[in-house]
Amino acid sequence: MGNARRASRTLLCALSGLPILLLIQRACVRATNFGGFDEWPMLELSSRWVVGFPHANRPLGMLWILPASLLPYRLLSFQLLSFVYLLASALLVFRLCQRLLPSRPLLGFVAASLVVSWAPGDVARLNCIECAVFGGFTFAALAAIVGFVESWFEARGLMLVLACLLVPIAARSYEGSFALLTGAPLLLLLTQAWSRRLAIWSGAWMAAVGVAAAATLIPVLAGGGSLAYQATVLKPEFDPAVLFGRFVWQFVYHLAPLVLSPPSELAVRAVPWAVGLFAVLFALAQRGSCELADREAWRCDAWSALLGLGFAGLGYALIVVGSGAPTAYRLQFLSGPGMAVALASVVMGLARLAPARAREAVAFLLAAWVVAVGAGRTVAMQQSWDRASAYPAQMSMLRGLVSRAPDLRPGTMVLLLDEGGAWRATFGFHHAIQYLYQRRAAGCVWGAWDALYPGTLGPEGLHSEPWSVIRGPWSVRPHTYRYDEIVVARFSGGRVEILKEWPATLPPVPAGALYDPGSRIQDLSLPVPERRLLR
């Protein structure tokens, strides 16, 4: 009993080092990694405690980022929240392994370490706002699954009810969670003897999944624009051959960097720091454990590896159906826990094939290689962000705008001629203007992608026609801005200019209409807390 207690204490010490490992892995990641599309809508909407993406049939899509609205420094708060969700997901994976494979604590520790270390191709993991959003989805799905498994081992019906209640919340946050949640009963069906209670537990869980599926399908069957995003952006694919190819590529994106990453990626400071800390934590986790002594357990490792790969595939599943983009973008969140278990199982299985004295060293070296490549890949992806982030251009443009138009009269439309290429879609600029001017003004980028907020210039002015599905949930409505309510700004060469005359590049102002931007601009009477973001 004393040895078991000591082993548990050392394992706990090892797990307590995971936050430091995550910090090392993500020390280079900047809070200013902006993709250019969704950051400002999420910032502005979450600041108003709006929780849904109605155009994507995700009524709880922003639920998990609301805590970031409580902190003053918004980008850092999103970064902190993403950190918390990744760490919590790692600990949930450890707990799941501990419950299903109680004699394999080292495997659970390695899997938890790889949850925080291994997402080698998903650049969204470095976008602080998207990482908080998708990290929240992953945490919610894992929390539901772990609650389901815990309720079985504790034989507590109330815990099962709570886990089942979390299912529709997770699924209505993000439809990609459905496949992962559906696979949860397999964890018990493949590891526990069949019984009437197991049938009841699995049936209750699948009933909860069915309720979530019905809640998802009802808006779709009712018509409207509740799947406008999936229909216009993702464009679902149902050809089996095409889908099979997409799945194969996602596994390639997730595993190929282990052998194809250039050696130069390992020549960064994060790699020795991550490997050094992992060595200490691995030694603590291994201390007092006899897990690697059982040479025949490699068969169990093979099964757990296959199960992990299966759950990684479930993590890809619904998104692969709806996205043909040849990248791993946003696809290594839900699939990450399963892949971490698969890699940890392979590490343990290969180590068992080595001579007894070398097994611990082999297991460490194999796991440390994944940690090292993960750290190097993170630095390399951050370097890509440094070259491609939309943050510098967008912040430069917005700083220039608020310096020349400190405040705008209610009902003003800022029409942007974006010659500097700061904005890739009108909806990002629209929400940025709403956020920085506290909803007294709106924005439109001439010639940019006009999803969500299409706008047209006509005889009466600029008519904004928000998609009908977002009007109620986001408190927006169609509106025609007269020419004397429009302020035209030009962003070019890193500078913003408020145009005093209507530009020739736009359709001409109709006879009798007046363009007078000066009448819309006024001095700022009170500080705007939201503008701290521009610093």
Side-chain angles (χ1 to χ4, degrees), residues 12-318:
L12 182 60
C13 290
L15 289 171
S16 66
L18 289 182
I20 305 174
L21 181 62
L22 180 55
L23 276 173
I24 292 172
Q25 288 276 351
R26 298 180 64 82
C28 68
V29 177
R30 308 188 199 286
T32 56
N33 294 336
F34 273 36
F37 289 99
D38 298 329
E39 291 82 11
W40 284 102
M42 290 176 182
L43 277 165
E44 193 271 325
L45 291 166
S46 65
S47 73
R48 294 192 277 131
W49 288 71
V50 174
V51 298
F53 293 115
H55 58 292
N57 198 17
R58 299 171 189 168
L60 300 176
M62 284 179 283
L63 175 66
W64 303 100
I65 61 171
L66 292 185
S69 301
L70 302 175
L71 300 175
Y73 298 101
R74 299 300 307 286
L75 295 186
L76 292 179
S77 64
F78 277 98
Q79 196 168 40
L80 174 63
L81 192 59
S82 69
F83 180 95
V84 169
Y85 283 141
L86 282 173
L87 181 62
S89 296
L91 296 177
L92 287 172
V93 166
F94 172 79
R95 182 59 178 170
L96 200 58
C97 292
Q98 190 180 43
R99 273 303 194 186
L100 297 174
L101 300 168
S103 62
R104 316 289 298 286
L106 187 59
L107 183 145
F109 165 75
V110 173
S113 300
L114 299 187
V115 170
V116 303
S117 302
W118 189 249
D122 190 350
V123 295
R125 284 270 288 235
L126 276 65
N127 181 317
C128 70
I129 296 179
E130 290 197 351
C131 188
V133 173
F134 282 81
F137 300 155
T138 304
F139 165 76
L142 284 175
I145 292 171
V146 170
F148 169 68
V149 173
E150 285 286 328
S151 72
W152 165 261
F153 283 97
E154 295 291 333
R156 293 185 179 178
L158 179 59
M159 189 180 294
L160 173 63
V161 170
L162 293 175
C164 289
L165 289 176
L166 190 53
V167 168
I169 296 175
R172 299 299 280 138
S173 298
Y174 185 52
E175 72 277 4
S177 306
F178 263 113
L180 201 64
L181 293 167
T182 303
L186 289 174
L187 297 172
L188 296 182
L189 293 172
L190 295 177
T191 59
Q192 308 297 308
W194 177 256
S195 66
R196 182 172 176 270
R197 184 165 75 91
L198 183 56
I200 293 172
W201 246 248
S202 300
W205 179 267
M206 293 309 296
V209 173
V211 168
T216 300
L217 289 174
I218 287 172
V220 176
L221 296 176
S226 59
L227 285 178
Y229 172 73
Q230 286 85 345
T232 61
V233 179
L234 296 185
K235 297 178 182 177
E237 173 63 64
F238 300 105
D239 186 327
V242 174
L243 291 177
F244 177 76
R246 289 183 181 179
F247 270 103
V248 170
W249 274 111
Q250 290 306 321
F251 281 107
V252 170
Y253 296 143
H254 223 149
L255 293 171
L258 286 169
V259 293
L260 296 181
S261 293
S264 59
E265 289 187 357
L266 300 178
V268 293
R269 284 180 296 181
V271 170
W273 279 102
V275 172
L277 175 62
F278 180 72
V280 174
L281 301 181
F282 184 89
L284 286 171
Q286 169 62 13
R287 187 179 178 186
S289 170
C290 300
E291 186 172 338
L292 288 170
D294 185 2
R295 184 184 181 93
E296 298 305 315
W298 67 267
R299 294 184 180 86
C300 180
D301 292 322
W303 277 109
S304 60
L306 289 174
L307 189 62
L309 289 174
F311 269 80
L314 291 176
Y316 304 137
L318 291 185

Side-chain angles (χ1 to χ4, degrees), residues 370-456:
V370 183
V371 171
V373 176
R377 285 263 67 229
T378 300
V379 174
M381 287 191 290
Q382 179 56 54
Q383 291 170 349
S384 297
W385 270 111
D386 291 340
R387 294 187 295 269
S389 176
Y391 179 89
Q394 288 186 355
M395 287 300 176
S396 174
M397 183 268 140
L398 292 170
R399 289 190 194 105
L401 179 65
V402 299
S403 68
R404 286 157 179 77
D407 199 5
L408 295 168
R409 295 188 184 280
T412 298
M413 166 60 73
V414 179
L415 180 57
L416 178 66
L417 304 179
D418 187 20
E419 297 172 3
W423 302 93
R424 303 178 183 182
T426 276
F427 60 80
F429 182 64
H430 173 89
H431 284 280
I433 295 300
Q434 286 207 316
Y435 186 69
L436 297 174
Y437 289 96
Q438 298 179 321
R439 305 203 78 206
R440 291 188 294 276
C444 179
V445 182
W446 185 254
W449 183 33
D450 65 355
L452 298 182
Y453 298 97
T456 55

